[in-house]
Structures are given as C-alpha cells and as structure tokens.
Amino acid sequence: MDMKVAVIGASGYTGLELLRIVWRHPRLELVAATSEKRAGQDVGGVFPALRGLLELRFEALDVAALAPRVEVAFTCLPHATAAPAVAALRKAGVRVIDLSADFRLRDLATYEAWYGAHQAKELFGQAVYGLPEVYAEDLAGAQLVAAPGCYPTSALLPMLPFLRQASVEASPIFVDSKSGASGAGRTLDEGLLFAEIDENARAYKVAAHRHGPDIEQEASRAAGEPVAVTFVPHLLPTIRGIVSSVYLQPKRPLSQAAAQALLEEAYADTPFVRVLSPGETPSLSAVRGSNFCDVAAVVDPRHGTLVALSALDNLVKGSGGQGIQCLNLMCGWPETTGLLEAPLSP
Amino acid sequence: MDMKVAVIGASGYTGLELLRIVWRHPRLELVAATSEKRAGQDVGGVFPALRGLLELRFEALDVAALAPRVEVAFTCLPHATAAPAVAALRKAGVRVIDLSADFRLRDLATYEAWYGAHQAKELFGQAVYGLPEVYAEDLAGAQLVAAPGCYPTSALLPMLPFLRQASVEASPIFVDSKSGASGAGRTLDEGLLFAEIDENARAYKVAAHRHGPDIEQEASRAAGEPVAVTFVPHLLPTIRGIVSSVYLQPKRPLSQAAAQALLEEAYADTPFVRVLSPGETPSLSAVRGSNFCDVAAVVDPRHGTLVALSALDNLVKGSGGQGIQCLNLMCGWPETTGLLEAPLSP
Amino acid sequence: MDMKVAVIGASGYTGLELLRIVWRHPRLELVAATSEKRAGQDVGGVFPALRGLLELRFEALDVAALAPRVEVAFTCLPHATAAPAVAALRKAGVRVIDLSADFRLRDLATYEAWYGAHQAKELFGQAVYGLPEVYAEDLAGAQLVAAPGCYPTSALLPMLPFLRQASVEASPIFVDSKSGASGAGRTLDEGLLFAEIDENARAYKVAAHRHGPDIEQEASRAAGEPVAVTFVPHLLPTIRGIVSSVYLQPKRPLSQAAAQALLEEAYADTPFVRVLSPGETPSLSAVRGSNFCDVAAVVDPRHGTLVALSALDNLVKGSGGQGIQCLNLMCGWPETTGLLEAPLSP
Amino acid sequence: MDMKVAVIGASGYTGLELLRIVWRHPRLELVAATSEKRAGQDVGGVFPALRGLLELRFEALDVAALAPRVEVAFTCLPHATAAPAVAALRKAGVRVIDLSADFRLRDLATYEAWYGAHQAKELFGQAVYGLPEVYAEDLAGAQLVAAPGCYPTSALLPMLPFLRQASVEASPIFVDSKSGASGAGRTLDEGLLFAEIDENARAYKVAAHRHGPDIEQEASRAAGEPVAVTFVPHLLPTIRGIVSSVYLQPKRPLSQAAAQALLEEAYADTPFVRVLSPGETPSLSAVRGSNFCDVAAVVDPRHGTLVALSALDNLVKGSGGQGIQCLNLMCGWPETTGLLEAPLSP
C-alpha cells in the first residue's frame, strides 16, 4: 500500500527536507537517496539530525537500477543537470516531481534566454506547474510535475486573486522578496558564509533573477494579459523562510474590506494558505517548518495602493513540502497527508 | 479513548510547545489552555503559528471548573505560584506533570534556601522526578511528576553513567552549559531583547543558578555519595537549545573505547538519547524541535580527563517533550507516542 | 576650545551611540548624560561597553542647572516628551539637536494627526531639517535642528536625486524598508524579545508608520509637487541597519547609465554618501558602525522601472551620527570631524 | 614620521581587520596589501566596507620588491606558508609581526607534532610571544613577534594571575571557550555556511585543538611547573568574539575578595584588560570591535572552586589589534596609539 519513493540529489537542503517529510509521511516509503558526492555514506552521518531515524546510504544515481525499485522520484538537481535525469526516469516509467527550473517555463525561448540550451526538449512543456492552489485538477494523475521555486510561490499566492479578478493594473508590479540563506542551497560560496550573512541584509540580482520569468508567466495567465513584474530579491540573515511584499495599483478604488474578502474567497478551500485577519502581517516564525503560506492584503488608506503580503518556509511550501502536496494530489490522497504540522515557534 | 489534557499557564514558550506537541499526539485531546493574562483571547491570535490548527480560547484558571473536564494537567507556572495550583489539581483528582521547580528537590531546606517558603508542603517530596531515562519504573502509574529543568536534563544525561559506575571523582565536577534565549521564557527583561542577545554570549549566575542543586541531587544519587558540581550557565544567541560540556576526572585511567562503551550500554534502550560515534560532537541543529538528547564522551588523550557532552532542545527534551514522555510512561503507552519527530535542520 | 555637550535621554540605544561618538570626537566634551530612570548610576555600569572610558554618572534632567554647563544638547526623548524639554533648553540659550519626531514636520495638522497635540507650538516649524546632504547651508549657524529618523534618511537619499530632476512619476512610489531591531529602541515589548525576532522577518504598520509623512514631506519638496509614498517597514533579525528598496517609474525612458550618472552627480561632494558601482548593491555589513549611507540605482532592463537602493546604520547615519554631522556643519567644522570611521566588517 | 606598513595575506578577516586598524592609526601608513587570489583587485571592491577609504590594489607577494618600501609587515598567512615568508622578510630587514602559529611555540617537537615540519627552523624560537600584558619589556625593540591566537589570549589573561601566585592547582585545568565563526577565517567549508551555524552551537576538536599547546606553554611558564590544560573549543553563532570560562581549583581556600584583588592588581596598569566588578560577567557585546579583554573571577561559594572568565573580540584583541598593540610597544609609542576605541554596542 505504501508508495516507494526516491529522492534524487538528496545531499542538499531540499533533499534533507524531503527526507524529513517522506520519513513522516504515512503513505510513503523511502527506498533510495542519491548523491554523487556522498555515495556510500550513511544518511545519518551526513545529516546528524536524521541519526537513528533512517537506515540508508546515499547511492550514485543509476536510473536503470533505480527505476524498478521506485514509483515516484523527486529530483533535486541543479537546472540543466535535472532535465536529462528527469527524461531518463520518465522513460523508465517513474513519475517525477522535479524541483529544478527545467520544466517550469512554458516558452522555450524564455527558458534558453535565462538558462541556456534545454537538455530534454522532448519533455519541455509537458509538466504540470506544481502550484496546487492553482493547478489541483491538473495534478490529479499527472506523471511529470515542475514544482515552482520558493520565490514564485511566495510572490504568486498573495497576488493571483487580485490579478484573476482584474482588480489591479498589470504593470508595473513590484515584488520585493526577502529570503533566508538556505534558499541558495548548500553551496560553497564566500557570500554564504555565516560571517558574511549574519547581521547583514542586501538586495541582489535586482530585476535580474531567474525566478522573475516564472512569476510573470503565472501572473500573466491569471490576469489574462501580459503582466510586467520587477522582481527584487533580498538576502536575509535567517536559515529558512521568505517574506514577500507585492506592490500593486488597483484599477478602481478598492476598499480594505473588499481586498480582504477577495483573498478569503480565493483561499477558502485551500488547506495550506492561511488568510490573516486585518491588522495581522505574515511572519516567518508563524510558518517555520510547516507547509503553510500565510497571506494578507493592505490597502494604503491615503493613496489607495495595494500591498499583498506573504510568508512561507522556503524548504517546505517553497520546495519539499510543496512537492509532497503535489504528490498527494497526483495520488488522490487527502492534500494534507503527512504535511499538516504545527510550525516550530519560537 | 483519548485522554483529556489541560495546559496550565499556557501563554509562555513552554506552554506553546506543549500545545504544539499535544496537538499532534494521537492519544491526547487538548481541552483547556489557561492564562490569566490572555484569558478570553484566541490561542491562534496569541500564537500565530497555531492559526487554524487549534480552535480554543485561553481561559483563567478555575480548578473547580476545570477538574471535571480533564484527566491530566501540565503546569507551566513560575515556582511558588505552581505549588498551590498543583495541590488544588491533585486534590481534585487530576494527575499533574509540573514543569516548575516546586517539586523537583527532595530536601525542603535546600528548596527554601533557593526559592523561599514552599507553598504546598504536604505534597513536597511526593513527586516522581520526571527524568524517564532514570525513573521509568517510578513513572508508571505516577500521579504527580516533577519534570526536571532544561539545564539538569542536559547536565545529567551525559554524566550519570560515569557516576553510576563510580568511574569518576565526585568532586569537583564542572558543568559548563550554554542555553538559547527561550530558556528564560517570554519574560519582559531588558537583557532578553534581541539587540542585547544577538552577536553576544556571556556567563551568568556563575555557581549561583537555581538549577545547580537539582543537578547535584541527582548526580549524588547516581554516585551514591555527595557530588560537588560547579554549574556555570551561559546565554547563547539562539532561540532554542542547550549544549553542555561536563568536565570530569576519572578515578582510574579510562580509555576512549571504555568511555564510549559505557555510554552506549547506559543508553542502549532509551529511544531519545542518541550516543554519537567517536569523533562526532552534539550540536543544537541536530536536535532542534525534537525530543532527542545527543550525548558523547571524549577522553583527553594527553591528560586523561573526561569531557562528557550533550545537546538538546530546551523546549522539547528540556521541558514540554519530556513532560509528554513522562505522560506516555504514566499511561503505559509506548514511550515515543506522539514524540518521535525528525529534527528541523537546517 | 572644546564644545561642551549634553546628551538628554541617554540610556537608550541612540543615547549610547551618541556617547560613543561624542567620546571620540576631537572637538566635543561630554559634560552631562541625563536619564530619569538611571539617575545616579555610573554610565559604565549601565553600558558595559563604556567601562573605563567615561567617568560620568547619569543625572536627572534639570534644565536650569544644566544650561550654564553646556553649549549644545542632543535630545533623545520620545516624541511629545521632547518638545517641552527642547523649548526649555532653547529658552535657556542652549543649541539643540533634537532626535525625536517633534520638529521634523512642517505642517502642524499633519503632526497632530499622527502624534497628537504638540507640546511646544511656539517652536514648531522653526527647526532646520537635519539632513545634511540637502540642508547643509541652512545648518550653518542653526540653533535648533530636527534630525530625521532612520527610515526617512534611508528612503530619501536614494530617491531625492530622481525627484529633483523630475525624472520619475510622483505617484505612486513604494518604499520597502527593512530595519534591525535597535530601531525600535531599548523598549520592553514582547515583540522585541530575541526569541520573537531571531529567524523571523515581517512587515508591520503597513502604510501606517509615522515616518511616512516625513518621507512624503521631503520627497514632495524635492519634486516640487505632492508625492504619494506607500511606505512599508519590515523588521529584520539584525541589531543595526536599514536597507531600503524604493520603487519608481521614470517619466521618460531612463538608461542605466543615466541613472548612475544622476546619482553620482548628486552625491559628488557629500562625504558620507557612497554611490556604488553598477552591479554592486548596498549591504548592512558595509556600513555597520559608520556614518555612511551607500546608494545604488538599477533600471529594470525589461520593463524600464527604476529601483533605488540604500543601506545605512540606523544608529549612526540614521540618528546619532547624523546629529553629529549636523553639529559639525552648525559649528563650521569639517563635516567629517569625529565621524569618519571604517565600518566594522565582518 | 609615519611608519610604512604592509599587510601580507590581507584578503581574509584578519587582514581586513588590520587594514581597518592601520587606516585609523595616526602613526602608520599602509603601503601594501598582498593577496595571491585577489592580486590586481581594488581593496574597496573586495571589501565594500572600505570603499572610498583606501585607494589601494591587492598585489601578489614579492618580498624583494616589497622590502624597500616598508619597515614592518604583518603576516596573516596560514601556518607553514607563513614561516618562509617571514624568513624572507626578516632577511630583507623588515620587522615582522606574524599572526600565524609558526613562531608561537618554544619547543620544536611540539610544533612538529601538531603542525608538521617547520619551514624556517633557523628562526624558530627567535620570536617574542606577542602577549603585551606579559611580554611588554621583551617587545620593546623586538624584530620578530609571534602574536598569540585568539583562543590562547582569551584563556590566558583570566588565569595567568592565579598561576603566577601559585594559588591554584596546575592540573587539571579545564578551559571551555566559545568562539564566533570569523575565528575560522574566510574559508570555504560547508560547516561555516550560515545555515549550518545560525541557531546552532557545538563543541569541536575536543581536547585536540592546535591552540591547546600554546595555552599550556604560557600557563606553565607562569606557574613555574608543567600545567595540564584540557581545552574544549565551541563554535557560536556570532561573527566575532570569544568568551572563555576557565575552571580552576585553589590550592588553599580562596575568598571571593582575594580573587578579585589578585586580578585587579595583576591588571592595574594594562590599558586593555578591564577587570569587572563582582557580580558582572564578561560579554561579547561589551568588547565588540575593540581591543579590550574583559576578565572576572568567581569563587564557588559552596565548593570553593574558581571560575575565571574572559571576553574579547577575536579579530581585535585576538589578532589584528593585538598585533598593533605589539607594534606600539616595539616602537616605543604609547601602548594605546590608534587602538583605544569605544566598543560597538549594541
């Protein structure tokens, strides 16, 4: 009755988070965790948090050997590296939830402008975009899912309801996102050292981050017209979490009550989006370690502009947890299976 | 089949942690959360992390009204305030797990020297000391449990095996503990402001902390002779967690292998104490959000002294989680019921 | 030859920073530090960082006794409390640099809408706005200066050059600021506890913060027309610092090179504003402990919008240091006297 | 009149700190900063904090070309790499303050047991140990100084006075030190990533750290007999700073007053060691960015053991600042020249 699962590229932070969630998921059995760098090592030696919980060794990825053992694979590989692995797994009949950027975009030219040549063109455009609050129906029975990145999830959930109702201008939209350091992965980069990040904060890749096109693509679909997003990510001195503030201009005067109602209706039936009460603002500590995305909307009482806000845990709702949420829907299980946890606060 | 539970004094950090753990525990039903200051307020408004998970309002403590509704209560009140509440709950037939200092000590004079007059002398000395790794048998069926503080748990678990075997001198023993800020509770104190604690660290209450007598009492019982502990707590810039380094002198030469073996034997059957492999050291990130206490021992190869190390999450194994572990044993349930979670890392 | 200085309300973080800077300033002699709460206590006992450097006790504020001893006073009192103290000091002939909000605004109705009745109306509108990069000429010889808050300094410096040249639309302008916890002062507030702020981030007082009118007032003066600013402050897990991202729409297409040139010209002669090179972004660590404000501008290459960025230390350029910079100009000393320090990094 | 200075290996954190201190030192002129990796790059581009302050490019180390331009060099190279560079500089007549481990030890066998073969044996044992509170007289006129590491400085200053008076047992002594992440340098190591260190703490290299022999050597000299130190370093989630707690056993009963008096006498004339008042404990925030080392001593009132405590900034008193303090003494300048700064707090 359990579904057999592999986590491909499991030695980074997204991999670790997936191991944690799969471990506690009542319908999943973890069969394999791959890592080229850590092949042969104990999972509990590499990740001391998992000592005594998982009796497993990392293995090198060998699709032919792996495919008969698993029904579904989560791929946590860098873009460009992911595409051929995904293609091989799909060819071998394994359902795939890809957490890389390789299958998120719908326009090949856009992909290639930001990432270079695509390595599995035959599958390009075949994936369901794994944002369950939007694509729940498409996810049912899907064979290939492209889970959106942490920034797009954080930017889209608070603004989509307003775009869908055509209640805000499509241009310009400013998305100011602030992310913890784990969003950059377990990468050996001087800029990610503790002494560089603690007590620090800064914008980076201003209007030049690869998650921008992702955001625009889905915002435009919701709006039914091209949307222009200026996306500005910032680096925060936190391990986890993204807070985003999205700056919008209502087409017609919008009351605070109407904005609140619009959000509440949009998310009345989605278990992981919590619409905050007026006066409350989303915070990282309220979602830490959980699959929740908290959202809120504030209308500037003097100028009538609209600020849509969100907070999520980038490793859960921003990647691993969202992947599991997709899998639940793919399998027809309750959407919250293995995912409904009280956030770790303080 | 569920057991009905109240958390008394639930608006602090220990209270919040108990709400979180009770919420996910399959055998417990949370019936009441009391707080004088927050009475009437929604739990989810006070603790945004719990929004949408708990439909409950804080209530003022009224033992007469509460007792018929619950079978067990966790008391998270300050010392001296706790004792009369515990006495009233016990008189009304409610089983109590007390997380204050009021029933931890066995010697009344010692209690009164450190805490002042005891407020429920008739119960003093009646509680089981809630360290399950030592008192599992006494906990079965217990009606009143005094859960040890976070520091004593952290200090005792790595050193008790050596004292029990009489393999180390009873005096002097130095315990150097480092605690995150949540150990001081949700207290309005200038010294607990973010700007005072971040990028800072310091010793405090050197050889003068109230948890010292607690540590000595249990260490002495294990050793079978009076033990002299100089206990030096330090404040760390972390939210959660305690790491302790205990400095011991072997009576006879002790090899690294023998020290390791002694720890492994002592904790072979305890699900929440993980003995690390030689070369590994306990870290907060490996236990965060979990009920694990990781321990290790290192013999100084040049001087033969012994360093016993531990790490735990002060809000879980150091208080709320340990209380639940006691309850599991009191009820004859598997010790890990509702408690076995993968630590949140990174 | 030294100028005798008092710091009024010196037991908070702004006060501490002023003590630090006055201590090292070659032309200033610290004569008095007042604090009602700490009166009689050693400065070095209250602020351990200053042990051995300052031989001084806090005193209660007594303007009559103080005035003959000092030539200039920095007032670091809460708004409404500051105004009468400032009035008394001025009447006694003491030059005042006020770091409260009481004299920053030019429109009394606006002041009273945000802060309540003004306590020294006879002086309202008499102060020079203490932003030296704009008002250097007015500061020469000034008797009363209202130093701008940390948020307005951070928001205004990157955007004023564009408003002055009428190169951007006056409405809407979005200011997304992120501040460290010391910006809220040494205040006993549950929300400022370490365990609430660390690993956390959130927006607060969205479009409702008292520094908003301040920003609009000065932006409008620069633009020569009313400017509509939606100001959204965020709380960061850092002790010091503010980074701001200001979202603007050019009236006419603006090239990256033109934006860069405009900033460089505007700040060619201001010693504390550093215009970063293209590709660099302002960061807190590059300004920590210093009076620098780093600024940069990025034109979104796809949509043509403009993002103006800044970073400063809220306790230096955002308050105490800026006050000293004003004093240097008031006294005709070189603007950098006692202020030019290498930031503390990492 | 200025002395011309080079910083060798200037692109790490110690190098940056030396650049900062040399920049503000009134008697020093920075002539060269070397870095093989950064050769040709602007110092202000590599270290944004120094933008606009230093007009200098990193250069590759070329002793022949450098020697005629400088009178003194600070070498901040890794051990083993440092020794030949130091030898070459000395041969060329340059005075050297070496911040590596290569010249700290007096016993070659001990050096080679911990570090491998020495690369400049002819100079081994020729350096003055650069702890000014002990070796001020030897430093006057010295040509080669080996500045002690951050841990030894932190461990030795609080305990030396007690060893010198033979008031404590020589064995065992436990040194429990807690260091911020910058102590490990700007090294690309997974364990130094922000997500690994924040909210974390752990012991490492227990009784096996290379700074142990250093501590024992100087402690033994002070005691006049061999001292056995078990040294246990811990990693803290701070950028800067070390706090150490040293556990000692008095030979004869020692009163709190006597311990206090002994410390105060020992440091009556040393400008950078501040002996705290009874009841105060050293903290990182009180020394941040300064050359101070705060010390205190507490006698356990129940057991008579002695806890000696210290706090310092590892990049200042623990390396760069201490090097400058040595240079001041070498040159016969006042010991505090360019070094007496108010710590940056909060």
Side-chain angles (χ1 to χ4, degrees), chain B residues 174 176 178 199-203 216 229-230 232 234 236 239 245 247 281-282 284-285 288 300 302-303 305, chain D residues 174 176 178 199-203 216 229-230 234 236 239 245 247 281-282 284-285 288 300 302-303 305:
Chain B
F174 298 103
D176 185 301
K178 301 92 178 164
E199 288 293 315
N200 200 2
R202 61 184 172 87
E216 278 189 356
V229 172
T230 293
V232 182
H234 297 72
L236 286 187
I239 298 174
S245 297
Y247 298 101
T281 52
L284 296 186
S285 71
R288 184 160 48 232
D300 183 332
R302 293 187 301 144
H303 305 310
T305 49
Chain D
F174 299 103
D176 185 301
K178 301 93 178 164
E199 289 293 314
N200 201 1
R202 61 181 172 87
E216 277 189 356
V229 173
T230 294
H234 298 72
L236 286 188
I239 299 174
S245 297
Y247 298 102
T281 52
L284 295 186
S285 71
R288 182 159 53 233
D300 183 332
R302 293 187 302 145
H303 304 309
T305 49

Side-chain angles (χ1 to χ4, degrees), chain D residues 48-194:
Chain D
L50 298 179
R51 274 184 205 122
L53 298 175
L54 279 177
E55 298 304 320
L56 199 73
R57 287 178 184 278
F58 286 107
E59 55 189 80
L61 175 59
D62 175 343
V63 172
L66 185 67
R69 299 157 56 202
V70 303
E71 296 160 79
V72 66
F74 291 90
T75 45
C76 313
L77 300 168
H79 70 89
T81 306
V86 168
L89 286 159
R90 287 298 307 126
K91 189 168 288 179
V94 179
R95 296 168 86 170
V96 176
I97 297 162
D98 180 36
L99 290 102
S100 85
D102 281 353
F103 298 96
R104 291 171 185 161
L105 296 175
R106 297 170 204 272
D107 181 68
L108 187 60
T110 302
Y111 179 90
E112 300 200 332
W114 289 86
Y115 297 96
H118 197 275
Q119 304 300 314
K121 287 201 179 69
E122 70 281 12
L123 281 181
F124 190 86
Q126 304 298 308
V128 176
Y129 192 78
L131 190 58
E133 285 73 18
V134 176
Y135 295 101
E137 288 179 21
D138 301 295
L139 285 165
Q143 301 295 312
L144 173 58
V145 170
C150 43
Y151 279 129
T153 303
S154 158
L156 292 168
L157 288 175
M159 75 164 135
L160 288 184
F162 298 99
L163 290 167
R164 250 186 248 122
Q165 302 294 322
S167 49
V168 292
E169 300 289 349
S171 168
I173 290 175
F174 299 103
V175 175
D176 185 301
S177 292
K178 301 93 178 164
S179 172
S182 66
R186 202 179 191 181
T187 312
L188 284 182
D189 175 336
E190 233 171 49
L192 296 177
L193 295 178
F194 181 86

Side-chain angles (χ1 to χ4, degrees), chain C:
Chain C
M1 189 177 84
D2 281 355
M3 176 165 280
K4 292 178 196 316
V5 170
V7 178
I8 310 299
S11 66
Y13 294 141
T14 299
L16 169 53
E17 193 71 5
L18 272 165
L19 297 181
R20 185 176 78 88
I21 303 175
V22 170
W23 174 81
R24 77 179 186 217
H25 193 291
R27 309 288 292 258
L28 301 180
E29 180 190 353
L30 182 68
V31 165
T34 83
S35 165
E36 306 311 302
K37 197 169 53 171
R38 303 291 193 175
Q41 298 181 35
D42 258 336
V43 167
V46 173
F47 294 132
L50 299 179
R51 272 183 207 124
L53 298 176
L54 277 177
E55 297 305 320
L56 198 73
R57 288 180 183 277
F58 287 107
E59 55 189 80
L61 175 59
D62 175 343
V63 172
L66 185 67
R69 298 157 56 200
V70 304
E71 297 161 79
V72 66
F74 290 91
T75 45
C76 313
L77 300 168
H79 70 88
T81 305
V86 169
L89 287 160
R90 286 298 306 126
K91 190 167 287 180
V94 179
R95 296 168 87 169
V96 176
I97 297 162
D98 180 36
L99 291 102
S100 84
D102 282 353
F103 299 96
R104 291 170 185 162
L105 296 176
R106 296 171 206 272
D107 182 68
L108 187 61
T110 302
Y111 179 90
E112 300 200 332
W114 288 87
Y115 296 97
H118 197 276
Q119 305 300 316
K121 287 202 178 70
E122 71 280 11
L123 282 181
F124 191 86
Q126 304 299 308
V128 176
Y129 193 78
L131 190 59
E133 285 73 18
V134 177
Y135 295 101
E137 288 180 22
D138 300 295
L139 285 166
Q143 299 296 313
L144 174 58
V145 170
C150 43
Y151 280 130
T153 303
S154 159
L156 292 168
L157 289 174
M159 75 165 136
L160 287 184
F162 299 99
L163 289 168
R164 250 187 248 123
Q165 302 293 322
S167 49
V168 292
E169 299 289 349
S171 167
I173 291 175
F174 299 103
V175 174
D176 185 301
S177 292
K178 301 93 179 164
S179 172
S182 66
R186 203 179 191 181
T187 311
L188 284 183
D189 176 335
E190 232 170 50
L192 296 176
L193 295 177
F194 181 86
E196 305 289 328
I197 289 183
D198 203 42
E199 288 293 315
N200 200 1
R202 61 181 171 89
Y204 70 102
K205 294 188 186 166
V206 177
H209 191 284
R210 283 167 166 169
H211 283 181
D214 227 282
I215 298 171
E216 277 188 356
Q217 165 184 291
E218 296 301 315
S220 297
R221 281 175 73 97
E225 61 176 318
V227 164
V229 172
T230 293
F231 171 54
V232 182
H234 297 72
L235 190 54
L236 285 188
T238 68
I239 299 174
R240 289 166 175 256
I242 296 181
V243 280
S244 289
S245 297
V246 182
Y247 298 101
L248 301 158
Q249 288 178 262
K251 286 181 176 170
R252 293 164 297 279
L254 180 73
S255 71
Q256 177 65 46
Q260 180 76 21
L262 200 150
L263 269 191
E264 289 180 359
E265 280 159 39
Y267 295 116
D269 299 320
T270 56
F272 292 115
V273 180
R274 300 189 294 196
V275 179
L276 305 193
S277 301
E280 296 180 327
T281 52
S283 70
L284 295 187
S285 72
V287 298
R288 184 161 48 235
S290 83
N291 200 51
F292 289 118
C293 178
D294 285 355
V295 300
V298 178
V299 177
D300 183 332
R302 293 187 302 143
H303 305 310
T305 49
L306 173 66
V307 187
L309 302 157
S310 73
L312 54 74
D313 184 320
N314 60 305
L315 294 178
V316 192
K317 184 60 178 166
S319 63
Q322 183 143 275
I324 298 284
Q325 189 182 352
C326 290
L327 181 60
N328 287 341
L329 292 168
M330 287 162 68
C331 297
W333 300 332
E335 194 170 352
T336 57
T337 310
L339 274 179
L340 201 63
E341 282 295 295
L344 192 72
S345 169

Side-chain angles (χ1 to χ4, degrees), chain B residues 179-203:
Chain B
S179 172
S182 66
R186 205 179 190 181
T187 311
L188 284 182
D189 175 337
E190 231 170 50
L192 295 176
L193 295 177
F194 181 86
E196 305 289 327
I197 289 183
D198 203 42
E199 288 293 315
N200 200 2
R202 61 184 172 87

